Amino acid sequence: MTVRVRFAPSPTGYLHVGNARTALINWLFAARAQGRFILRIDDTDAERSRPEYAAAIDVDLHWLGLAWAERVVQSSRLGAYAAARQALGATGRLYACYETAEELETARRLALSRGRPPVYDRAGLDLDAPARSRLEAEGRSPHFRFRLDDRAIAWQDGVRGPSHVPGGSVSDPVLFRADGRPTYTLASVVDDIDLAISDVIRGEDHAANTAVQIQIFQALGAAPPRFAHHALLVDASGAGFSKRLGSLSLRALREEGVEAMALASLLARLGTADAVTPEGDLAALTASFDLARLGRAPARFDAADLWRLNAELLRRMPFAAVAERLAAIGLEAADARFWEAVRGNLTRLAEARDWWQVVRSDITPVREDPDVLAAAARLLPAEPWDETTWAAWTGALAQATGRKGKALYHPLRLALTARDSGPELKRLLPLLGRVRTLARLQGPGA
Ligand code: GLU
């Protein structure tokens, strides 16, 4: 069987790191099996879905490098859901219910307060035709639930191993709302059948849905796919991520300067016992990906890990890979020499601008040790300069002043860069050039 997976976000907010992890896990799983990764936009909730969020999902996945083979939008598949309604209706397992949301909530609270599981009492099943007409005459329109079998539902989970949900512990799911629209619960199954999805890989918050959906697959005469439920991602305080709370969106991380591969490198290994290593492309992550390595404990996301990977990836990045992006932040004139000098000192690419300013614009040098600086100006070699110039110059300076180590280098660094630390001076020096170097050593009016 060809592996076909789907990532199925609801366009009700911006994708967050937890969503990105689900998408990546699906993508890597498909890539590993040479299967297909399908993007499905779950927009059956018309009130909360927004086209701009759907568009942002495309942008975010594209940025992460997660290309999709097909893109399916649920709101354009209403005909398929209507056909499923007919088919389920014919099985006799769809039944009309008339409770309002408030009534259901009251019943739920009551059940909980009596120590019972808050499972729907199937009152709708007891309504005969006259009773239904009376309710409709009151102005109520029915929504439709699917009558579950009360047997335990078991499946072999790709992450959790043998799994089951006891019979009677889940409410009969609503499959069609009072306005006739299908719910996610139904639409997802119909799509998974029509798209020949082989593996449904999603967060463990969907395990109860799986129990219900397996029965719907069967009622529709289809074999259920394989299921895998990964543990959820939590933040450093142990709290989960949510689109509604707007937590840690991909777009925010991107705007802050996170490299897509830093995020992918982290998310691919979080929740496994494997070390998180910076990988330059998805192929490297694919090679080592295995669903079975995901643990059952919540995976902890720590932004500090992300920035460490970011710095590490930038440090390894060749100039060709960043030339366009440097130009886009105003550094059209930056060249490989500049990039190779500064890349080891960046946490985010945009910080290259600070170093560009150091080598190309006016800064206010910090002149702490006039004697050393005066001698340094005197001994400054003639151009042309290269990376050996620094050693020759500071060697002569050490002899002339009797200084060495930090006592020699630190005043030079402060004068040349106005910063305490930074890229190797032997690399910055040729970028600065003699005129600028001399001016910084001598100060204004010299
Ligand atoms: N739209 C659902 C969600 O965002 C999809 C769940 C699934 O993968 O079936 O949670």
Side-chain angles (χ1 to χ4, degrees), residues 6 8-10 40 42 184 188 200-202 206 213 243:
R6 83 295 193 283
S10 313
R40 187 180 88 196
D42 280 6
Y184 149 78
S188 181
V200 169
I201 307 169
R202 55 190 177 184
H206 284 289
Q213 288 176 331
K243 270 203 218 101

Side-chain angles (χ1 to χ4, degrees), residues 420-431:
D420 254 339
S421 61
E424 283 183 285
L425 288 165
K426 71 170 188 188
R427 301 188 132 181
L428 288 185
L429 197 64
L431 295 170

Side-chain angles (χ1 to χ4, degrees), residues 101-121:
E102 295 74 44
E103 287 164 352
L104 290 171
E105 183 53 24
T106 306
R108 205 182 73 87
R109 293 236 186 86
L110 193 67
L112 285 174
S113 73
R114 292 186 177 158
R116 290 203 307 256
V119 173
Y120 177 61
D121 64 4

Side-chain angles (χ1 to χ4, degrees), residues 385-442:
W385 285 0
D386 59 23
E387 285 192 10
T388 65
T389 307
W390 171 259
W393 177 39
T394 52
L397 195 52
Q399 284 222 315
T401 59
R403 310 262 192 121
K404 53 184 194 287
K406 193 161 185 238
L408 179 63
Y409 302 131
H410 198 60
L412 292 177
R413 179 176 287 283
L414 285 177
L416 299 185
T417 69
R419 284 159 172 73
D420 254 339
S421 61
E424 283 183 285
L425 288 165
K426 71 170 188 188
R427 301 188 132 181
L428 288 185
L429 197 64
L431 295 170
L432 283 166
R434 195 170 195 284
V435 171
R436 198 170 271 123
T437 301
L438 196 58
R440 289 183 188 178
L441 294 170
Q442 293 177 326

Side-chain angles (χ1 to χ4, degrees), residues 311-384:
E312 189 61 31
L313 281 171
L314 289 170
R315 194 176 64 75
R316 299 175 184 189
M317 225 169 258
F319 176 65
V322 291
E324 265 177 39
R325 292 170 63 198
L326 290 175
I329 58 169
L331 310 190
E332 296 85 356
D335 58 8
R337 241 176 11 145
F338 166 77
W339 174 247
E340 283 157 20
V342 305
R343 64 184 173 184
N345 288 79
L346 309 176
T347 299
R348 51 202 94 201
L349 184 84
E351 291 164 2
R353 271 196 300 236
D354 302 341
W355 293 111
W356 186 250
Q357 196 180 2
V358 165
V359 298
R360 282 302 150 91
S361 335
D362 288 333
I363 54 164
T364 309
V366 178
R367 272 185 292 272
E368 265 192 351
D369 194 330
D371 295 346
V372 171
L373 299 187
R378 214 169 44 241
L379 293 171
L380 196 61
E383 284 177 320

Side-chain angles (χ1 to χ4, degrees), residues 240-259:
F241 292 96
S242 137
K243 270 203 218 101
R244 232 166 314 159
L245 298 177
S247 44
L248 227 46
S249 71
L250 294 202
R251 67 157 41 196
L253 291 176
R254 183 165 67 243
E255 276 160 20
E256 277 176 43
V258 167
E259 298 293 316

Side-chain angles (χ1 to χ4, degrees), residues 18 20 31-32 46 67 77 94 125 140 161 197 210 246 255 280 304 329 427:
R32 187 76 205 266
R77 291 186 30 82
L94 272 189
L125 270 183
R140 296 186 184 230
I197 296 302
T210 294
E255 276 160 20
I329 58 169
R427 301 188 132 181

Side-chain angles (χ1 to χ4, degrees), residues 85 94-105 107 120-146 172-179:
R85 182 173 186 158
L94 272 189
Y95 63 98
C97 299
Y98 293 84
E99 296 85 356
T100 63
E102 295 74 44
E103 287 164 352
L104 290 171
E105 183 53 24
Y120 177 61
D121 64 4
R122 293 180 166 160
L125 270 183
D126 300 330
L127 299 171
D128 55 12
R132 288 205 297 271
S133 307
R134 261 198 314 280
L135 286 162
E136 282 169 34
E138 278 174 22
R140 296 186 184 230
S141 26
H143 53 273
F144 289 83
R145 290 187 189 257
F146 174 73
D172 288 347
V174 175
L175 298 193
F176 293 94
R177 301 183 172 90
D179 63 5

